[in-house]
Amino acid sequence: MITPSIGTTELYKQLSVLLKTDTPVFLHGSPGIGKSYIVNDIAKQEGLEIMDVRLSQLDAVDLRGIPTIKEHQTVWMPPIFLPTDAKSEGILFLDELNSAPLSVQAAIYQLVLDRKIGEYSLPKGWRIVCAGNKINDKGIVFKLPSPLSNRMVHLVLEAKFDDFKLWAMKHDVHHFIIGFLAFRPDLLSSEIPSYAETNPAFCSPRAWNMLSHILKNTTDIHSIHPIIYGTIGYAAGVEFIAFVNVYKTLPDVDAILAGETLGIPNEPSALYALCAALIERYSALSQAEHLLAYSKHLPTEFAVMLIKDLIIKDEEIAMLESFDAWMERYGDYII
């Protein structure tokens, strides 16, 4: 039986519980899904320090420390990445755990269970979070030894478009990408290519965010086709480029925001593209009145999607009288 996966929004809730109860956790997820980002972000939200340790780069001796002589006895000097301040609070993030040599994995048995390694003790205010790729991700991954595996709670993370969209809107991800993934959410994360594939690129939240930065600094998307293929893979790249071409057929976005046109595309791909473009271009509460009126001419699915996204960008629209009227019509469709 396969354990159900969770999305990034749910992960924040589960991690919060585990941090409060001082329970070690292992996050399983494909490359580029956001494991490291989320752990660092929740540390920031909780006001905690964070020590990010990449175990795949260490040897077993690096964890216990270098031996030295003190009062005619051998003692081990703990490495600098292990916190020593008894009053501090933070997250010891042991990343790439299942990519580390088995000797390193064995060396942290005691640290994970007893919060000790040799003479070193982890300060009381620190929590342990581990992470790594899944075994079927075609990376350098070892199966966790059962004694170590049984010392932690295991959470399986999956890329989900609704979670990514919420993050993308708050972090100004290019509207081409938000619109395309609304149309093809299955391409947020794609299967990792086989070793025989000459282009190893594949879709992941990290890859889409990387492409967003490239697009923001490019005036002609048709001049960077090889870069697109090399960022998200050839098949997804072809579809993405075709989707971007749909933008040429869209009604005037600025005219819609100004309440000057009611042009409505016919194709679903164009509707996804238009909604993303409207949210990206929106900049003033006065435009919300026009979007609320315009949405009533869209198919219900797109009307609801447009205004839900608008609320994420500008919560003040909920104070408008026209929004109350809109809710009377569409409130049953809001989940």
Side-chain angles (χ1 to χ4, degrees), residues 177 180-181 187-188 203-212 232:
I177 291 171
F180 174 70
L181 291 176
L187 288 179
L188 172 60
C203 298
S204 71
R206 178 166 57 202
W208 286 112
N209 188 44
M210 185 163 53
L211 181 58
S212 173
I232 57 175

Side-chain angles (χ1 to χ4, degrees), residues 72-222:
H72 306 292
Q73 291 183 317
T74 301
V75 295
W76 277 261
M77 304 297 293
I80 194 170
F81 55 74
L82 291 178
T84 55
D85 185 350
K87 297 181 180 179
S88 63
E89 296 183 337
I91 295 175
L92 179 59
F93 182 37
L94 304 176
D95 201 1
E96 302 173 358
L97 170 57
N98 55 352
S99 296
L102 294 179
S103 59
V104 174
Q105 294 185 24
I108 69 165
Y109 281 13
Q110 186 184 20
L111 181 61
V112 173
L113 182 62
D114 300 326
R115 302 171 59 84
K116 296 180 65 177
I117 185 167
E119 293 79 17
Y120 170 82
S121 295
L122 188 68
K124 186 176 180 180
W126 282 75
R127 306 293 183 254
I128 295 176
V129 176
C130 306
N133 296 329
K134 295 185 292 186
I135 290 179
N136 59 352
D137 284 332
K138 300 183 176 71
I140 301 174
V141 177
F142 305 101
K143 189 177 186 301
L144 288 178
S146 56
L148 177 58
S149 180
N150 197 233
R151 282 165 161 79
M152 299 177 284
V153 170
H154 296 266
L155 297 177
V156 182
L157 185 61
E158 179 183 354
K160 298 181 183 291
F161 173 68
D162 288 342
D163 294 334
F164 176 78
K165 182 178 181 180
L166 182 63
W167 179 88
M169 292 178 63
K170 292 180 177 180
H171 291 81
D172 197 28
V173 170
H174 200 287
H175 63 280
F176 283 176
I177 291 171
I178 296 176
F180 174 70
L181 291 176
F183 180 58
R184 287 296 309 274
D186 55 305
L187 288 179
L188 172 60
S189 182
S190 63
E191 184 177 350
I192 298 173
S194 67
Y195 293 114
E197 173 61 60
T198 55
N199 179 8
F202 59 94
C203 298
S204 71
R206 178 166 57 202
W208 286 112
N209 188 44
M210 185 163 53
L211 181 58
S212 173
H213 288 298
I214 296 170
L215 293 176
K216 289 178 183 179
N217 291 279
T218 304
T219 56
D220 180 15
I221 189 173
H222 298 290

Side-chain angles (χ1 to χ4, degrees), residues 219-235:
T219 56
D220 180 15
I221 189 173
H222 298 290
S223 67
I224 60 166
H225 286 188
I227 293 177
I228 295 173
Y229 302 147
T231 305
I232 57 175
Y234 180 70

Side-chain angles (χ1 to χ4, degrees), residues 37-83:
Y37 173 87
I38 291 171
V39 175
N40 279 268
D41 192 44
I42 199 169
K44 182 179 179 181
Q45 291 182 16
E46 299 288 340
L48 300 172
E49 296 181 44
I50 187 163
M51 287 289 186
D52 191 331
V53 182
R54 305 301 167 107
L55 292 177
S56 61
Q57 302 174 16
L58 302 181
D59 291 323
V61 68
D62 295 327
L63 286 168
R64 189 168 188 185
I66 302 298
T68 187
I69 302 299
K70 183 177 181 181
E71 297 180 357
H72 306 292
Q73 291 183 317
T74 301
V75 295
W76 277 261
M77 304 297 293
I80 194 170
F81 55 74
L82 291 178

